[in-house]
Structures are given as C-alpha cells and as structure tokens.
C-alpha cells in the first residue's frame, strides 16, 4: 500500500473513531473559543458608512497620544529592558538551535481531536464535507512524523494552520461568537523574516509543519526557505531593526522583496543619513534562503529596542490605530493578543502569543479574581502602570493606558464585539471589529448591554517587565 493510500486510510479511521465519540456537535473547548463576537450578518447598508463604529459609542479619543497624557519618562529600568531585549532575541532565533521536533504526533494532531467530533461548516457556510475532512487529516501523514529536521525562515507573511489546508473550518454560523471570522483552522499569522524549525512534510509535500518561538502549525511550502549554517551565521544578529509602519514594502535594487508589518524585525546591515539597510530573506529556485538588502527610512523603522516610554508606546499604538480585527491573524490583521505581541516586540519585550499566557507570563500577575467591580477598578488605578500593564479576561487582553478626565481606566484592545441581549432572550453581539480605545464598560450606553458585563469578566492585571518569568530562566 503506497504512502498516500495508507495516509488516507489512517485519516478515515481517525475520522470514524472520533465521530463515534460524539453523535452531535458539542460546545467548543474553552481554549478554542473566540475572544468575542458573532458572525457578521448581511444588511442592505452600503459598504462605506458615515460612522464605521455606529454599533458601539466610543466617547474617548481613538489615538493613545490624545486619550491620556504621555511623557518621555522610562517605564522600566534601563537594565531590565536591556535584559528583556537580549532574552527576546534569544527566543526569536531559538528555532535554529533545535535539532529535533519538540512535539509528539499527538501534540500536532490536537486539531483533529478537538474539532473532529463537531459539526463544522465550510466557506460556503454549508456542512463541512466529510471527504474533505478525511483528505486533510490524511495529509498530515502522522505515521511518518517527524519526517524532517531542518532550519528555515519565512520569506513572506504566512499563516500557521491547525491542519494542512487554507480553506476554513467554522462552527455553527448561527451562534453568537461563531461563524465568520472564526476559522478554527487558523492558528496565527507569522511575519516575513521569522526563524522556524521544520519537523514534518505533508503527504503532498505542499505543507511543512513548523515550530516558531511562539506558535506551531502547518505553513505552505513556498512561504519558507531552508537555511544553512552560513546563512544563519550571517542573519542572526543582536543589531536588529523593527518596523514602525504596517504594510511596509521592502525594496532592494529596485526589486520588490516583500511587504510586512509592525512586529516584524530584520538584521541591520548598515546605516546612513536616510535610514537603515536591512537584511531580508528571499527564496531561490531550489527553495533555499538567500540574503537580499532593503532600505528603510527612519519613519518606517527603528533600531531595537525602542525606548520604552509612554510617548513611544503611544506613537506605535497610533500607527496601528483602527486596524480591523483578524482572528488568528486572518487577512494579516490582528486579534487581541497579537496586537499586544506586535506592539511590544519593537521595545525588545517578548510576549507569548496566547492572551492567558501573556497575562500569566508577561510580567508580575496581579489576580483580580473574586473582587467586585469597584475593587477591580481601584486595583487597576492604584497598581497599573499606564502603557506597561495588561488587563486580562478569559479570551481577551488589552493595554491599560491610564485614566481619562473622569477617572475611568482606558484600554487599548482589538475586540470583535460586545455581548448583547436580544429581544427573544437569546444572546447576540454588537460588532466593534477593530483596535480601539475604550473604557472597561464598552457598549454600556446601549440598552441591550448589561451593566458591568465586561468588568465582571476581568480576572487579572499584569505589570510588564516586573518579575518576568522569562528573565528568571
């Protein structure tokens, strides 16, 4: 029996065994739940509206530099920021130090176990085809895992997928918080120039399973290039440059090399009066990484680490202001945790990808569990460090900016929507769908939004850089 047929038989067997475990679609596990929000519904409205945020009133300035007072005072002791920067670069390049897969076949197939017993829906919002499911599961070729051990680098922005398919897997589109844009095959976006470790190839060779320093998943073969020792030695550097603008084009000798976003970093080659010359990975015809050079002007990029002040964080946040919500980095947009991760990496601060991990491992975690809303507000005001503290609730996270003129804490966060109560008693959402600044009572000007619903869910405050676990390792 050849490998493809053997893999298909394996995939069908897995599918059937999972189906026997549950005869109906169950509620998704907590770690798979979207941050918030329902499927968008069709309306007769024109695509461009006068007020794009009409579902929620945001009565605070939408620029961080205008919402609160900012300064050039350091938010961390210089020695702490330097130590965090050095550790962040170690983490960034860590996949190139791997010699074998760190995950088991069971680890990489968690999506099959989590989603296989659920009724999924395809991109046409019809039930997910069973033959497609069997094919995608078989493409993993789990009996042969791990089949590779190779260092590589992303040569374009790409997506880590839970299974080797670019097509989506939605849960019930009729349920609030499900359907579009919550594709459960989407893990996270990975920006151009990210070191990865390849541990496996799909049956059709179109996909690689890769480990990055912050997430793992399947990527398209053509989105990565294999690196050798010589390339790694010349690319790995402590002198790195961070982008300050989203959708920055990288051009070298008149040739387009790629386009990427805030959160991407590249090694410095040289510096001039106009800006930086950075090293950019490109892929040759044999699928191997080569070095190219691109020039970035000073408005587009800065040396790592940027000075960690409220003014500099606000400037970078303002460059991301209003970006549309992207579940798992879909469409190269950001969700709540990727917004925080991309915002802080230019300051040399490494945050995990998941919101709960950011809260628990991004610094000193202060639990707000069991407090009433007034106690939570008092603790956030008294102990939160504006522009250097994260406010966390299960499935969601944002940056505490300080208080407005009324004393209300303000939060910078990329949020899908606010829970509402529909006239028939069921649950709905008022869609925000972008990076915004709000109070901790978003949407409460609406009659269908319960008082303190958001605040009651807040569980923790994290002081970035204070007792950071990764500095203690």
């Amino acid at each position: 029996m050849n490998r493809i047929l053997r893999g298909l038989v394996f995939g069908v067997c897995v599918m059937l065994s999972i189906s026997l475990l549950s005869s109906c679609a169950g509620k998704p596990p907590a770690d798979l739940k979207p941050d918030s929000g329902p499927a968008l519904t069709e309306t007769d409205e024109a695509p461009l509206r006068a007020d794009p945020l009409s579902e929620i009133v945001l009565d605070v300035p939408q620029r961080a530099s205008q919402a609160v007072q900012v300064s050039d005072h350091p938010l961390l002791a210089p020695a702490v920021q330097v130590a965090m920067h050095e550790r962040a670069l170690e983490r960034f390049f860590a996949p190139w130090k791997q010699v074998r897969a760190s995950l088991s076949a069971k680890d990489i197939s968690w999506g099959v176990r989590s989603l296989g017993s659920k009724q999924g829906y395809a991109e046409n919002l019809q039930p997910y085809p069973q033959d497609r499911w069997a094919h995608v599961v078989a493409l993993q070729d789990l009996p042969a895992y791990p089949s590779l051990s190779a260092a590589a680098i992303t040569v374009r922005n790409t997506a880590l997928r839970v299974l080797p398919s670019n097509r989506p897997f939605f849960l019930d589109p009729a349920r609030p918080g499900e359907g579009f844009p919550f594709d459960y095959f989407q893990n996270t976006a990975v920006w151009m120039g990210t070191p990865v470790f390849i541990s496996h190839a799909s049956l059709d060779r179109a996909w690689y399973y890769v480990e990055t320093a912050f997430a793992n998943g399947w990527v398209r073969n053509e989105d990565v290039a294999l690196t050798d020792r010589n390339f790694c030695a010349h690319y790995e550097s402590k002198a790195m440059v961070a982008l300050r603008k989203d959708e920055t084009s990288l051009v070298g000798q008149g040739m387009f090399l790629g386009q990427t976003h805030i959160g991407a970093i590249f090694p410095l080659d040289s510096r001039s009066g106009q800006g930086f010359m950075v090293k950019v990975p490109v892929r040759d015809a044999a699928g191997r990484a080569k070095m190219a050079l691109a020039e970035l002007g000073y408005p587009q990029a800065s040396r790592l680490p940027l000075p960690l002040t409220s003014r500099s964080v606000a400037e970078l946040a303002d460059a991301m202001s209003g970006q549309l919500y992207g579940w798992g980095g879909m469409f190269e947009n950001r969700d709540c945790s990727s917004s925080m991760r991309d915002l802080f990496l230019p300051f040399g601060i490494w945050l995990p990808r998941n919101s709960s991990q950011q809260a628990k491992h991004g610094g000193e975690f202060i639990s707000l569990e069991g407090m009433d809303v007034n106690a939570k507000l008092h603790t956030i005001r008294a102990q939160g460090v504006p522009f250097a503290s994260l406010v966390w609730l299960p499935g969601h996270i944002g940056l505490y900016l300080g208080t407005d003129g009324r004393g209300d804490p303000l939060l910078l966060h990329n949020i899908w929507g606010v829970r509402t109560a529909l006239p028939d008693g069921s649950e709905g959402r008022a869609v925000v769908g972008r990076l915004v600044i709000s109070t901790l009572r978003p949407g409460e000007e609406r009659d269908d939004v319960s008082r303190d619903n958001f605040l009651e869910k807040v569980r923790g405050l994290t002081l970035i850089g204070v007792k950071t676990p990764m500095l203690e390792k």
Side-chain angles (χ1 to χ4, degrees):
M1 187 182 295
N2 62 37
R3 290 181 68 214
I4 294 180
L5 181 57
R6 188 169 59 246
L8 285 169
V9 170
F10 176 82
V12 171
C13 292
V14 170
M15 179 186 69
L16 291 174
S17 63
I18 290 174
S19 297
L20 291 173
L21 295 177
S22 175
S23 60
C24 62
K27 187 176 181 180
D31 61 346
L32 284 178
K33 284 297 292 176
D35 294 335
S36 59
L40 291 171
T41 57
E42 291 186 4
T43 71
D44 293 326
E45 294 172 323
L48 297 178
R49 294 184 288 171
D51 180 6
L53 291 174
S54 60
E55 294 194 42
I56 294 291
V57 175
L58 298 168
D59 58 349
V60 296
Q62 290 304 294
R63 298 282 178 171
S65 55
Q66 299 171 359
V68 295
Q69 195 170 33
V70 297
S71 76
D72 295 315
H73 180 74
L75 298 173
L76 289 179
V80 173
Q81 189 182 1
V82 168
M84 294 186 75
H85 171 231
E86 291 177 351
R87 179 60 175 148
L89 292 185
E90 288 179 15
R91 294 288 296 273
F92 183 72
F93 290 108
W96 286 351
K97 307 300 189 292
Q98 285 187 234
V99 295
R100 63 181 62 86
S102 68
L103 305 170
S104 68
K106 182 179 179 180
D107 292 333
I108 77 164
S109 62
W110 66 269
V112 176
R113 299 190 305 279
S114 297
L115 300 173
S117 61
K118 305 189 184 306
Q119 177 59 71
Y121 292 82
E123 58 268 30
N124 60 356
L125 301 186
Q126 298 301 303
Y128 196 89
Q130 290 299 302
D131 57 345
R132 180 194 288 185
W133 175 263
H135 178 67
V136 172
V137 170
L139 282 179
Q140 296 177 108
D141 195 18
L142 292 180
Y145 176 86
S147 58
L148 295 172
S149 175
I153 191 167
T154 55
V155 293
R156 62 181 72 171
N157 301 327
T158 188
L160 289 182
R161 303 288 288 171
V162 174
L163 288 172
S165 173
N166 276 328
R167 296 187 175 98
F169 183 99
F170 301 117
L171 295 183
D172 189 354
R175 292 173 54 190
E178 301 298 355
F180 183 87
F182 302 110
D183 171 13
Y184 282 82
F185 281 2
Q186 178 71 10
N187 190 351
T188 189
V190 180
W191 301 146
M192 179 182 184
T194 301
V196 304
F197 176 81
I198 299 174
S199 61
H200 192 47
S202 61
L203 272 174
D204 58 6
R205 311 298 291 185
W207 296 83
Y208 286 136
Y209 194 88
V210 304
E211 299 182 31
T212 75
F214 57 92
N216 315 297
W218 293 93
V219 300
R220 291 290 298 182
N221 180 310
E222 63 267 24
D223 291 349
V224 299
L226 299 175
T227 58
D228 56 25
R229 291 184 180 179
N230 183 59
F231 179 93
C232 293
H234 285 87
Y235 195 88
E236 184 172 351
S237 173
K238 291 185 177 181
M240 302 291 287
V241 173
L243 296 190
R244 299 177 62 94
K245 303 286 185 183
D246 280 335
E247 299 182 5
T248 295
S249 290
L250 302 170
V251 178
Q253 296 183 332
M255 294 182 61
F256 176 77
L257 305 174
Q259 187 182 72
T260 191
H261 310 287
I262 294 169
I265 61 177
F266 298 92
L268 175 67
D269 179 76
S270 59
R271 189 170 183 168
S272 68
Q274 287 71 45
F276 306 96
M277 192 70 74
V278 297
K279 300 174 182 178
V280 178
V282 295
R283 176 180 163 123
D284 68 12
R288 298 196 170 275
K290 301 295 181 184
M291 205 92 68
L293 297 178
E295 188 170 1
L296 295 171
Y298 288 123
Q300 297 174 299
S302 294
R303 275 287 305 271
L304 253 70
L306 278 69
L308 188 66
T309 67
S310 59
R311 189 185 309 280
S312 56
V313 176
E315 288 174 353
L316 201 59
D318 288 347
M320 299 163 62
S321 176
Q323 186 192 59
L324 303 188
Y325 181 89
W327 166 251
M330 186 182 291
F331 308 125
E332 298 185 18
N333 292 327
R334 300 179 177 91
D335 55 23
C336 62
S337 55
S338 60
S339 294
M340 297 299 100
R341 177 178 163 76
D342 284 354
L343 178 61
F344 279 99
L345 186 57
F347 298 95
I349 295 173
W350 183 272
L351 290 177
R353 177 61 179 87
N354 176 274
S355 58
S356 63
Q357 293 299 308
Q358 288 182 358
K360 299 295 177 63
H361 301 293
E364 180 181 357
F365 179 73
I366 300 172
S367 175
L368 305 180
E369 194 80 37
M371 295 184 183
D372 62 30
V373 294
N374 290 326
K376 290 178 182 180
L377 289 171
H378 174 76
T379 303
I380 292 169
R381 292 190 192 104
Q383 299 190 47
V385 179
F387 290 92
S389 302
L390 304 175
V391 173
W392 172 69
L393 54 157
H396 192 64
I397 199 160
L399 178 66
Y400 172 60
L401 299 180
T403 57
D404 63 10
R406 298 165 296 189
D408 290 330
L410 297 182
L411 191 68
L412 174 78
H413 54 146
N414 206 321
I415 181 173
W416 174 246
V418 175
R419 183 173 299 180
T420 61
L422 299 179
D424 63 1
S426 61
E427 182 182 303
R429 292 290 188 279
V431 174
V432 179
R434 65 186 65 212
L435 182 69
V436 299
I437 298 172
S438 75
T439 68
L440 296 180
R441 291 190 168 96
E444 290 188 11
E445 76 285 348
R446 297 171 56 113
D447 293 336
D448 57 357
V449 174
S450 299
R451 177 74 174 174
D452 294 334
N453 183 267
F454 188 92
L455 254 173
E456 287 173 351
K457 293 181 175 64
V458 172
R459 294 289 184 268
L461 176 71
T462 301
L463 310 183
I464 293 175
V466 181
K467 296 181 181 179
T468 303
M470 68 180 183
L471 290 179
E472 299 170 358
K473 293 180 180 178

